[in-house]
Amino acid sequence: MVDLTALKRANDSRWAHARITRASSTFTQVATRLVAPVAKASYLAVASRIGVPWFVIAVIHERECSQSWAGSLAQGDPWNRRSVHVPAGRGPFKSWEDCAVDALVNCAPYAARNRDWSIGGILTLLEQYNGLGYASRGRPSPYIWAGTDQYVSGKYVRDGVYDPNAVDQQLGCAGMLQAMMRLDASIKFGAAAAVGPAPVAEKTGQAVVPAPSNSAPSITRPAPGSIGAWIASFFKKAA
């Protein structure tokens, strides 16, 4: 059993000390795609429905399907067909946005229920999204730390098969977030805005998909996931 409180502390400490080890331009190229206005608008649309920060949605999208708008946020399967990979049996959906909402509301680790949007809480949620197999081995998760000095090797090459010598070639969420923050000043960490209980899946297995808000975000009524919805709390790197 993984102690999530201890994992949050560990991830918070790793974030404070992490340094990029891959070419910074590689992270910048990906971050530029993720914060691009059209992409950000789609992430904010999902964030406004469920309260998960848009930048968290963005890095999940990149890790799960290299930001493919044809791929599900849950596991990368096409969202217009019933999924075959875990979580299997989801969909088909009417849109990428509806599929993203389903993944974050109805699929483990039920990200829409999270209320800790500190950097430690965010990174631990992202680690849970991929699975706690690395934490149970006492190893940093490449899903979070690949491309930084916090990760060297070790990867689940397929379900249940761990190779200690394999190296994850994808970029980790932490490095992507660092690169995104350099490009978009609205990305900040802190407590989530107060919201009602997150919807959960029905016993029938049908997706519970909140409808889009009829009120457009504004300065006086910011969308969840936007700068106006969060309490700013910067985490400085250790000297």
Side-chain angles (χ1 to χ4, degrees):
M1 182 70 70
V2 174
D3 183 337
L4 293 180
T5 300
L7 184 58
K8 286 182 183 181
R9 288 196 298 267
N11 280 329
D12 186 71
S13 178
R14 287 169 180 156
W15 172 267
H17 294 86
R19 298 292 183 271
I20 298 298
T21 54
R22 292 186 194 168
S24 60
S25 60
T26 303
F27 277 100
T28 300
Q29 288 171 3
V30 172
T32 299
R33 284 195 283 99
L34 297 178
V35 304
V38 173
K40 183 177 177 179
S42 293
Y43 300 138
L44 282 170
V46 176
S48 70
R49 293 168 65 174
I50 59 175
V52 175
W54 71 269
F55 47 88
V56 173
I57 299 168
V59 295
I60 292 174
H61 193 198
E62 177 66 22
R63 281 293 310 196
E64 295 299 328
C65 54
S66 301
Q67 205 191 19
S68 169
W69 298 100
S72 167
L73 209 68
Q75 72 299 80
D77 287 354
W79 53 260
N80 61 352
R81 297 200 291 269
R82 199 164 183 81
S83 64
V84 296
H85 296 96
V86 178
R90 311 305 302 177
F93 298 94
K94 294 181 179 179
S95 66
W96 178 87
E97 184 181 316
D98 282 354
C99 181
V101 170
D102 176 71
L104 298 169
V105 170
N106 299 316
C107 302
Y110 309 103
R113 302 181 191 180
N114 185 56
R115 294 297 178 267
D116 180 1
W117 301 116
S118 66
I119 187 58
I122 287 172
L123 295 177
T124 299
L125 173 66
L126 289 167
E127 188 161 347
Q128 289 177 275
Y129 200 93
N130 179 242
L132 294 174
Y134 298 100
S136 67
R137 291 174 175 271
R139 302 291 297 272
S141 168
Y143 195 89
I144 310 302
W145 301 109
T148 77
D149 59 359
Q150 302 300 302
Y151 170 77
V152 177
S153 65
K155 178 178 171 59
Y156 281 92
V157 293
R158 55 183 181 276
D159 289 346
V161 179
Y162 178 77
D163 183 345
N165 299 312
V167 177
D168 194 322
Q169 298 303 310
Q170 284 187 272
L171 300 181
C173 293
M176 286 191 282
L177 285 171
Q178 288 185 0
M180 291 167 69
M181 291 176 72
R182 290 192 289 270
L183 299 172
D184 189 323
S186 75
I187 299 174
K188 302 188 186 303
F189 311 125
V195 295
V200 297
E202 300 172 355
K203 291 180 180 179
T204 60
Q206 295 296 315
V208 178
V209 180
S213 172
N214 291 325
S215 301
S218 66
I219 294 175
T220 57
R221 191 180 340 188
S226 68
I227 185 173
W230 314 111
I231 300 174
S233 179
F234 286 103
F235 288 80
K236 298 182 179 179
K237 292 183 179 179

